Structures are given as C-alpha cells and as structure tokens.
Amino acid sequence: MKEAMMDWDEAQRRPVEAFKQDLTALSIDELQARITALEEEIVRVRTELEVKRAHEQAASAIFKS
C-alpha cells in the first residue's frame, strides 16, 4: 500500500482554531494579558516571515544568475 506523500508546508501547519477559545469566562486582566501575548506572537511571526522571505529571495538570486 502506497502512503500519500505530504508536502513539507502541510506537515508544518498548525491549527488556527487554538485562537478561537471562548473568551466570555476570562477577566479583563486575562483578556489584556491575552492581547499582549498575541501582539508579541504577531511580532515573532512577522520576524520569521521576513527571514524566510529573505532566504527565498537569496535562493532565487542564486538560481537566476
């Protein structure tokens, strides 16, 4: 039986549903802390995105020359 090959990007995907938690039971302080944590995560993700784009551009430049 042949196993289906999984694309690397597919293997690395994480469910976004983790961010869809019910917020009604959280206090104002907990909500503020969550916002702070999410903002920090956004910065971290954007930084990694920039690194990956730079690598992609560098690789493209090598193969185009």
Side-chain angles (χ1 to χ4, degrees):
M1 179 180 200
K2 189 175 181 181
E3 291 184 25
M5 301 271 301
M6 190 179 307
D7 183 283
W8 176 254
D9 290 334
E10 288 181 58
Q12 297 300 317
R13 288 192 183 115
R14 305 290 191 285
V16 178
E17 289 76 29
F19 299 114
K20 296 181 181 179
Q21 172 188 0
D22 181 14
L23 304 175
T24 57
L26 299 178
S27 70
I28 291 172
D29 288 341
E30 290 170 322
L31 290 169
Q32 188 59 55
R34 184 177 174 93
I35 288 171
T36 300
L38 289 170
E39 288 171 341
E40 290 170 358
E41 182 66 2
I42 288 168
V43 170
R44 189 176 78 87
V45 170
R46 284 187 174 149
T47 300
E48 184 63 25
L49 182 59
E50 289 173 16
V51 168
K52 290 187 183 283
R53 284 183 174 156
H55 286 172
E56 184 178 57
Q57 289 173 352
S60 290
I62 290 171
F63 290 110
K64 286 182 182 179
S65 51

